[in-house]
Amino acid sequence: MSVASRASVAASAVALTLGIVTQPTGSAAQSSGHERGDRGQVQGHIPILDKPTRHFEKSVQLARHRAQRIAAAQQSRATKSGSSTEDSGGFPSPESVGVSSSTLQAIAACESGGDPSAVSADGAYHGLYQFDYGTWASVGGSGDPAAASPEEQTYRAALLYSQTGSSPWPICGS
């Protein structure tokens, strides 16, 4: 959007706001948008916002569903008994390199919401622990971290944590 267009939009918004603010209290221009007219319709309703509102509500619903699926998958993994390398896809447990599983679970929950296939908005960070490709390779990973199994991601995060502490995760690791 050009500077001139932004200035025009901003000026329009200010003019609209001033027009509403200068109206007497309780006037139609200052309705809260929740008053109903004599036909039961909401006064102050802006039809142009219906589609974005529906899109937003659907996005929230999909996010909740995804979070429930992730939580169910984590719960089913947590209820498995034993911690042999067979259960962890052939990778040693985090404890084998001196890192607690609960520490890594907290980092994963913060970094990716527990989604092993998560990719940051800018595409730079991937997987449960939001590895970049260089860091992933530095702990023996190859390819896309988000394509690796959750067990491999956790093992490689444990290796990184054992080498550098929580510094690769300045916000979620503290």
Side-chain angles (χ1 to χ4, degrees):
M1 181 180 270
S2 70
V3 174
S5 297
R6 288 182 185 169
S8 176
V9 170
S12 298
V14 169
L16 179 61
T17 302
L18 289 175
I20 292 173
V21 170
T22 59
Q23 295 296 315
T25 303
S27 70
Q30 279 199 342
S31 71
S32 67
H34 299 298
E35 293 81 13
R36 297 216 177 256
D38 51 346
R39 292 186 187 174
Q41 296 175 338
V42 175
Q43 293 177 350
H45 176 75
I46 304 171
I48 199 163
L49 296 178
D50 287 344
K51 188 173 180 181
T53 300
R54 284 192 307 270
H55 180 72
F56 174 75
E57 289 169 350
K58 186 174 181 177
S59 296
V60 169
Q61 183 181 26
L62 290 172
R64 284 186 181 139
H65 179 67
R66 185 176 185 189
Q68 289 171 346
R69 285 186 306 167
I70 291 169
Q74 288 175 339
Q75 181 65 28
S76 70
R77 275 188 241 129
T79 57
K80 286 185 178 178
S81 61
S83 61
S84 70
T85 56
E86 187 174 283
D87 288 342
S88 61
F91 291 95
S93 70
E95 286 78 10
S96 70
V97 292
V99 180
S100 80
S101 292
S102 61
T103 298
L104 293 177
Q105 285 174 349
I107 291 172
C110 176
E111 288 287 337
S112 65
D115 182 2
S117 63
V119 177
S120 66
D122 64 359
Y125 303 99
H126 303 255
L128 278 169
Y129 304 95
Q130 295 293 281
F131 282 101
D132 63 23
Y133 289 116
T135 306
W136 179 247
S138 76
V139 290
S142 63
D144 184 0
S149 70
E151 294 79 14
E152 179 179 4
Q153 292 182 46
T154 297
Y155 172 68
R156 304 229 180 267
L159 288 175
L160 182 61
Y161 195 96
S162 69
Q163 294 168 3
T164 61
S166 65
S167 63
W169 303 281
I171 295 171
C172 296
S174 56

